[in-house]
Structure formats: C-alpha cells, structure tokens
Amino acid sequence: YIIDMYRGIIQEQNFLTEELREQIFQRQLDRPLGHGRIWRVRHQQGKAGAVTSSLGDAASMDLVISLFSPNGWVRDTAQRLLIARPGEATQQLHQVLTGESTLAAIHALWALQGRGELSREMVLATLAKGDSARSQQALRAGHLLLTSEDLLALDTAKSDALTMQLAFALGDHSSEQGARAFLRDLLVDHSANAYVTQAIVRASRGAEMEFLQELLVDERFTQASQHNEKILAALAASAYRSIGTN
C-alpha cells in the first residue's frame, strides 16, 4: 500500500521559520487538510486475495481459526478481537499455543497475555516445544511468570536471538548470584556477539557493581582482550549511570 497524503503542511511547528510561515499563508497551504488516497499495488500477474468477512461479527472460535490465516492483517485483527473477549475460546487458544503452526501459536500467546490468562505452565509448555521463534516470544510475553530456576534450565545454544532474550529475562533476577554466574557464562560463550553482550549488560542493571566485582576475579576475564575491555567499559558506564540516578 502507498499513502498519497494531500496536505499543505508537513512540518513540525517548532521548526517553522517566519519565512516559511509567510509562504504557507501566501500559498494557502494551511487549508488542505484530511485529503489523500491509499493505493494498493499488486503485480499484474498476481491473484486477487480472498474476500475477508467481517471479523468483528465472527464467533470467537472462528477468530481462533483466523490465527492460522496466511494474511497478516487477518491474524493481527483476530488476535486484537480475541484480547477484547476474555474468557472465550480459552481452551482452543491453549491448544494453538503448543500446536504445529508457529505463527498461530505466537498470536495465541499474545492474545492470552493481553487477556491476563497466560500462566507459568503455558509459558513452560511453549518453551518445551524447542521452537526458537516461539520461545523468544514466550520469554518476552511471560518472563515475569518464570522463576530464575526456570530460566537457568533453558537451552539456548542453537539461537543467539533466544540467548539475547534469555539474558533480558534474567535481568529480573540480577540480584541473585546464580543468575549473575549464568550471565557470566553467557558472556564467555557470546563475547563476540554485540547484541548478546549488550543484553547482558542491560540485564545487570541494578546489580552492576556486584557483577563487575565478580567479573574482575573471574580468570576468564582477567586476560586483556578487545572484547573484555568493551564489556567491562560498558558495565562500568552502566554502573555510573545507575549511581547517578539513585
């Protein structure tokens, strides 16, 4: 889709100079408001999409089925409407959560989270599927439902993106020595990955001084290297910012 917006002024008011303001009034650019067109662009050989029925009038079970649609708008709309109907089709959403379709499961996950119906057991069952994309979303949606023991038991070796999400989740437990020890292990295994290391630095927020002290006596970090220097500098900067805000 292409938006063809017909408006006389497309500018932040604070940046309008007197010269531009004069031009606007002289050319009556302040008058065209609320006009434009939305173009749908499709390949000449493309096929027209199936006509979508009004999802607003659909039964909750039909909305669950719509989570499997190949059309992203249909899936998003079905998820939004399901969030507005708490208590309906809950069992069906549970089944989708651990079903074969990753996309549908992710939509079901966030629908349950939005309705306040996501539980620790559901999150653990989703993580147990071993689906990296699904597990990332499960950690994002349900990390507050999990204990540090739940998180430390996860296997993220096959996905750096999942490791990064796990590090973010462990930030809720940075006051625990076991969680910080696990984060140090992640630093060793992923020291060359800027995204994972930054997630670990973020996870240590509030416990930076403890984390720094533990790193400085860890023989794996006592050797000079570019990666270690960057990590220690980032942690020191984060600790300084935390001190400044307290």
Side-chain angles (χ1 to χ4, degrees):
Y1 292 92
I2 298 175
I3 297 176
D4 177 15
M5 184 167 62
Y6 180 57
R7 185 181 177 90
I9 308 169
I10 308 176
Q11 178 63 284
E12 172 61 41
Q13 183 177 1
N14 292 335
F15 298 98
L16 286 176
T17 64
E18 289 301 321
E19 181 183 358
L20 287 175
R21 193 183 304 275
E22 183 179 347
Q23 286 286 323
I24 287 169
F25 290 122
Q26 286 181 356
R27 299 165 63 185
Q28 298 182 345
L29 297 179
D30 57 318
R31 297 186 180 182
L33 296 172
H35 299 288
R37 294 166 289 188
I38 298 177
W39 299 90
R40 181 183 180 185
V41 180
R42 193 174 68 216
H43 195 281
Q44 290 181 342
Q45 298 177 356
K47 296 180 180 179
V51 178
T52 303
S53 60
S54 175
L55 292 177
D57 299 327
S60 294
M61 189 58 221
D62 292 330
L63 292 178
V64 174
I65 294 173
S66 295
L67 298 180
F68 292 85
S69 171
N71 186 308
W73 179 88
V74 172
R75 295 195 307 273
D76 289 344
T77 303
Q79 175 187 318
R80 175 174 58 81
L81 292 172
L82 283 166
I83 290 174
R85 302 181 186 182
E88 297 185 19
T90 301
Q91 185 59 41
Q92 289 78 11
L93 286 171
H94 292 179
Q95 294 171 359
V96 174
L97 195 59
T98 54
E100 295 304 315
S101 172
T102 296
L103 268 178
I106 290 172
H107 284 287
L109 173 75
W110 284 104
L112 288 165
Q113 190 272 346
R115 287 155 50 142
E117 297 173 358
L118 193 63
S119 68
R120 172 177 174 267
E121 289 71 27
M122 293 180 202
V123 176
L124 290 175
T126 305
L127 292 168
K129 288 289 291 184
D131 180 336
S132 178
R134 198 178 314 200
S135 294
Q136 289 176 53
Q137 297 299 319
L139 284 176
R140 289 184 62 192
H143 63 94
L144 293 177
L145 300 170
L146 302 178
T147 66
S148 58
E149 289 77 12
D150 293 332
L151 295 170
L152 296 179
L154 293 179
D155 180 11
T156 64
K158 296 181 181 179
S159 170
D160 286 344
L162 183 55
T163 300
M164 180 175 68
Q165 200 62 53
L166 173 59
F168 282 132
L170 283 169
D172 300 319
H173 307 277
S174 61
S175 62
E176 301 176 22
Q177 189 173 7
R180 295 197 302 272
F182 190 85
L183 288 171
R184 292 202 306 275
D185 292 339
L186 291 183
L187 271 179
V188 172
D189 295 336
H190 301 274
S191 61
N193 188 311
Y195 298 104
V196 174
T197 55
Q198 283 302 310
I200 294 170
V201 171
R202 175 64 182 84
S204 69
R205 186 169 294 180
E208 295 97 338
M209 295 306 296
E210 294 89 344
F211 197 45
L212 268 172
Q213 290 171 0
E214 291 160 354
L215 280 179
L216 291 173
V217 296
D218 190 323
E219 61 181 11
R220 296 173 295 181
F221 291 92
T222 55
Q223 298 179 354
S225 73
Q226 187 175 11
H227 292 312
N228 287 351
E229 289 175 4
K230 287 183 177 180
I231 292 168
L232 293 173
L235 280 168
S238 181
Y240 180 78
R241 287 192 295 268
S242 293
I243 294 172
T245 56
N246 293 332

